[in-house]
Amino acid sequence: MKKTLATLVLVSFAGAAMAQQALKPEEMIKYRKAAMNFMGWNMGKIKANLDGTFNAEQTLAAANAIAATANSGLGALHGPGSDKDVGGEKTRLKSEYFQNQDKVREVAMNFNKEANELAKVAAAGDKAAIQAQFGKTGASCKACHDNFRN
Amino acid sequence: MKKTLATLVLVSFAGAAMAQQALKPEEMIKYRKAAMNFMGWNMGKIKANLDGTFNAEQTLAAANAIAATANSGLGALHGPGSDKDVGGEKTRLKSEYFQNQDKVREVAMNFNKEANELAKVAAAGDKAAIQAQFGKTGASCKACHDNFRN
């Protein structure tokens, strides 16, 4: 079965239909913050490599971690009720997330595309190309934050 | 330059020599808990797939996320001072981590090996093989927890 990138992304981020786990809203918040912080650490590593001594192997490992996180089905961590602080977990997710699914799909698909491209470019090892794609990936993170994070 | 798996793992987990980022102990704690929670979510997804309706694509995405996390250089998140609660971040890391680096290397190398094997087996898609390798991966997580987590 051939699937387009768009289909894969819809399933992996914007949709939660595949989720086998029954997660409480507080678990969604906990795990998605873990995913975001984990990506933040890896983005920081790539930035440090671009700004300082460039280590291609560390940069690739970080890019692979970001892409695998993007591909891990983060949509399942953005279910109903997870836009409110609950069960000791605090969240910055705006309720608009549930009211504008077209925009969610747009920013999610773009993020997945840029993150996977970053891993591809990092595997090739050209620092200037990585720098350019790192910028695009960061912008795709920011697009979601600007729209859906308080 | 040819590198053995052992060398790569030493660099990526047990050693922090490659780290370009200057992280405070509280940042190490924050990011490593993020990495652990993120892997926990993905392990839970694989378990749910093995126990319930098996979706090969979701299982592979989760296994890839765990392997990429294992390969992301977690050793850099276990630096001096990160075995104490600090800067509002709580940790369960035992101080023994810094006193028994041989054991750290052993459990870290084994975890990386099993996590990468899980991604390989998940790509092949055989449920029984994934079940067996999932057990080995979980055991390799537990070995570190038993030795170095309060």
Side-chain angles (χ1 to χ4, degrees):
Chain A
M1 181 169 52
K2 189 175 185 302
K3 286 187 181 171
T4 62
L5 177 63
T7 310
L8 284 170
V9 171
L10 282 180
V11 172
S12 70
F13 197 105
M18 276 168 60
Q20 313 275 347
Q21 283 176 309
L23 293 178
K24 296 177 188 169
E26 54 266 43
E27 292 170 321
M28 294 178 190
I29 297 171
K30 174 184 167 178
Y31 290 134
R32 79 180 174 224
K33 287 170 79 171
M36 299 297 167
N37 282 328
F38 178 63
M39 289 194 288
W41 172 53
N42 284 289
M43 288 293 282
K45 272 188 288 185
I46 296 174
K47 186 173 190 320
N49 272 282
L50 292 170
D51 292 349
T53 307
F54 182 69
N55 180 302
E57 194 179 324
Q58 187 184 59
T59 302
L60 175 57
N64 282 341
I66 293 162
T69 307
N71 297 334
S72 70
L74 299 176
L77 300 179
H78 294 75
S82 69
D83 56 336
K84 307 275 188 298
D85 295 350
V86 59
E89 295 291 338
K90 286 179 180 290
T91 182
R92 296 168 68 187
L93 184 67
K94 286 184 183 174
S95 300
E96 282 79 354
Y97 181 93
F98 300 106
Q99 296 149 12
N100 195 347
Q101 287 288 302
D102 286 348
K103 188 70 183 175
V104 168
R105 266 187 291 274
E106 179 194 317
V107 297
M109 285 173 56
N110 195 46
F111 165 61
N112 275 46
K113 180 173 77 71
E114 301 298 3
N116 282 294
E117 183 65 21
L118 181 60
K120 196 173 149 189
V121 169
D126 180 77
K127 190 183 168 184
I130 296 168
Q131 179 94 52
Q133 187 54 36
F134 178 74
K136 288 185 188 174
T137 307
S140 76
C141 298
K142 187 174 182 294
C144 191
H145 295 169
D146 287 351
N147 279 280
F148 299 116
R149 190 174 73 166
N150 283 311
Chain B
M1 182 169 51
K2 189 174 184 303
K3 285 187 183 172
T4 62
L5 176 64
T7 310
L8 284 170
V9 171
L10 282 178
V11 171
S12 69
F13 197 106
M18 276 167 61
Q20 313 274 347
Q21 283 175 309
L23 293 178
K24 296 178 189 171
E26 53 266 44
E27 293 170 319
M28 294 178 191
I29 296 170
K30 174 184 168 178
Y31 290 134
R32 80 181 174 223
K33 287 170 78 169
M36 299 298 167
N37 282 329
F38 178 63
M39 288 195 287
W41 172 53
N42 284 289
M43 287 294 281
K45 273 188 288 184
I46 296 175
K47 186 174 188 322
N49 272 282
L50 292 170
D51 292 349
T53 307
F54 182 70
N55 181 302
E57 194 178 323
Q58 189 185 57
T59 301
L60 175 58
N64 282 341
I66 293 162
T69 307
N71 297 333
S72 70
L74 299 176
L77 300 179
H78 294 75
S82 70
D83 56 336
K84 307 274 187 299
D85 295 350
V86 59
E89 296 290 338
K90 286 179 181 291
T91 183
R92 296 167 67 187
L93 184 66
K94 286 185 183 175
S95 299
E96 282 79 354
Y97 181 94
F98 299 107
Q99 294 149 13
N100 195 348
Q101 287 287 300
D102 286 346
K103 187 71 183 174
V104 168
R105 265 187 290 274
E106 179 195 318
V107 297
M109 285 174 56
N110 194 47
F111 165 62
N112 275 45
K113 179 173 79 70
E114 301 297 2
N116 282 293
E117 183 65 20
L118 181 61
K120 197 173 150 189
V121 169
D126 179 76
K127 191 184 168 184
I130 296 168
Q131 179 93 53
Q133 188 55 35
F134 178 74
K136 288 185 189 174
T137 307
S140 76
C141 298
K142 187 174 182 295
C144 192
H145 296 170
D146 287 350
N147 278 282
F148 298 116
R149 190 173 74 167
N150 282 312

